[in-house]
Amino acid sequence: MRIIESAEVFERLPMKKCIEVMKEAFEKLERGQCVQPPRTIHDLDGNNLFGFMPAYLGDCFGAKVINACHSNVGTEYPSHIGYVMIFETEHGTVKGMVEAGSITRIRTGAVSGMATDLLARKDASKLAVIGAGAQGRSHLEACMCVRDIKEVSVYDISKAGAEKYAEEMKAQFGVSVRICESVEEAVKDADIICTVTPSKEAYLKAEWVKKGAHINAVGTFTPTTREVTSELIAASKLYADYVDSMKKESGEYLVPLKEGLITEEHIKGSIGQVLIGEAPGRESDDEITLFDALGLAVEDVAAAAYVLN
């Protein structure tokens, strides 16, 4: 059995390759070639969470066991701590364990990159990132893999965090990042918006988002938390990573549904369904498209299996 830590994960799983791996995993999922039991998430003290996420992909199976420690933000410790364990299917032996924080960081950005490639305007070049943490970094890289990004703006509640982000992204990708004083300033005129914060309350408003924008709403994944206001959800074409999960776990969907602003038919489909042609994608340059990511076990297992192989 192999144990692969984060540094080796980043070497073995570059973002472009991970986007390809995620496309394969989502196609398998929508064609019924994967089994993904419901994940279990337990609340811990300090707004922290403990999760168990299993999946079967045919040639392997496994599970991510992870803590989401939001209280670690601003400390020397990462916000996601755990491992993805992978088994082979012939005899059920353990192939290995892969550090989960790095897998989560890369595969989450890669899935948003896939959604951006499927749903954003082809000429999209202005990116706004809300949240200057690990996911803010992976989402910039993923969007640069699928679109010609020429302008980047960032907002974070920590000005120092935003400044560090801008410095690092300039050094890593050669792109200048404009630091903004508010979410409204950051998203003004943006073609692509990535919200990657652990906010409990919606903050991205409909009147701030221009026609034709694409939004990746990534930061929250419980029925009561969200980043996008109900009015903006109602004004957008809404896509899930997995429709069944959205109907059970997504505050972005469940809150406006309860308020009566949308119906179940407001969900256009999953990005996997768009990928295989079973759901419509963008149909005009003026549409606002919104991908609400909860995170799926098939993503973790597929990414970790690729790293091990």
Side-chain angles (χ1 to χ4, degrees):
M1 184 186 82
R2 291 201 62 192
I3 298 176
I4 297 181
E5 300 294 355
S6 61
E8 191 173 356
V9 173
F10 283 106
E11 291 176 1
R12 288 171 169 255
L13 190 63
M15 183 60 72
K16 282 188 177 180
K17 172 53 67 174
C18 193
I19 292 174
E20 294 177 13
V21 172
M22 292 301 99
K23 286 181 178 179
E24 293 174 6
F26 273 80
E27 182 172 344
K28 279 186 174 183
L29 179 63
E30 292 301 340
R31 296 193 187 281
Q33 298 168 351
C34 299
V35 178
Q36 184 175 254
R39 65 184 176 187
T40 56
I41 298 177
H42 302 280
D43 292 323
L44 303 176
D45 293 338
N47 192 31
N48 298 325
L49 302 169
F50 172 70
F52 177 76
M53 301 170 62
Y56 172 83
L57 271 63
D59 54 350
C60 69
F61 63 96
K64 180 168 76 173
V65 182
I66 194 164
N67 297 310
C69 294
H70 300 305
S71 58
N72 284 349
V73 175
T75 75
E76 62 183 295
Y77 297 97
S79 61
H80 290 75
I81 302 172
Y83 285 85
V84 184
M85 181 175 281
I86 301 296
F87 299 79
E88 53 85 20
T89 54
E90 183 178 0
H91 302 290
T93 59
V94 179
K95 293 186 68 175
M97 296 196 307
V98 183
E99 195 276 322
S102 52
I103 288 290
T104 303
R105 173 172 169 169
I106 300 168
R107 63 81 159 156
T108 305
V111 172
S112 290
M114 180 178 71
T116 300
D117 197 25
L118 290 169
L119 298 173
R121 288 174 50 144
K122 297 302 181 184
D123 61 353
S125 63
K126 298 179 181 180
L127 171 67
V129 179
I130 311 304
Q135 285 302 333
R137 287 161 168 78
S138 70
H139 277 69
L140 171 57
E141 181 177 6
C143 289
M144 291 184 70
C145 286
V146 299
R147 289 294 184 273
D148 182 16
I149 301 299
K150 297 177 180 177
E151 297 180 28
V152 181
S153 57
V154 67
Y155 170 77
D156 194 277
I157 58 173
S158 167
K159 183 72 174 293
E163 291 171 348
K164 182 179 181 182
Y165 175 90
E167 181 181 342
E168 290 181 3
M169 297 302 93
K170 175 69 173 178
Q172 186 173 356
F173 300 114
V175 61
S176 295
V177 178
R178 179 169 56 91
I179 300 169
C180 299
E181 298 296 327
S182 67
V183 175
E184 181 178 6
E185 179 188 351
V187 303
K188 183 180 180 181
D189 295 326
D191 302 312
I192 304 166
I193 301 169
C194 298
T195 63
V196 287
T197 77
S199 176
K200 289 186 176 182
E201 301 294 334
Y203 58 81
L204 185 61
K205 298 183 179 181
E207 58 265 31
W208 298 345
V209 176
K210 75 173 187 180
K211 290 181 179 180
H214 170 68
I215 302 164
N216 297 308
V218 179
T220 62
F221 48 87
T222 72
T224 58
T225 57
R226 57 191 182 136
E227 298 178 286
V228 180
T229 62
S230 298
E231 292 76 16
L232 180 51
I233 292 291
S236 304
K237 292 183 72 173
L238 180 62
Y239 297 86
D241 45 16
Y242 195 55
V243 173
D244 287 350
S245 298
M246 172 174 275
K247 290 182 177 180
K248 295 174 183 176
E249 301 177 355
S250 170
E252 242 87 34
Y253 163 74
L254 291 169
V255 173
L257 180 70
K258 185 177 180 180
E259 293 171 343
L261 292 183
I262 62 172
T263 65
E264 289 191 9
E265 288 69 36
H266 194 67
I267 303 173
K268 300 304 178 185
S270 71
I271 54 168
Q273 289 173 316
V274 176
L275 184 66
I276 65 175
E278 291 185 355
R282 174 177 291 275
E283 295 173 302
S284 81
D285 285 345
D286 288 337
E287 292 175 337
I288 296 173
T289 54
L290 192 150
F291 168 56
D292 181 42
L294 294 167
L296 304 177
V298 294
E299 301 167 19
D300 299 304
V301 174
Y306 177 83
V307 169
L308 282 167
N309 290 334

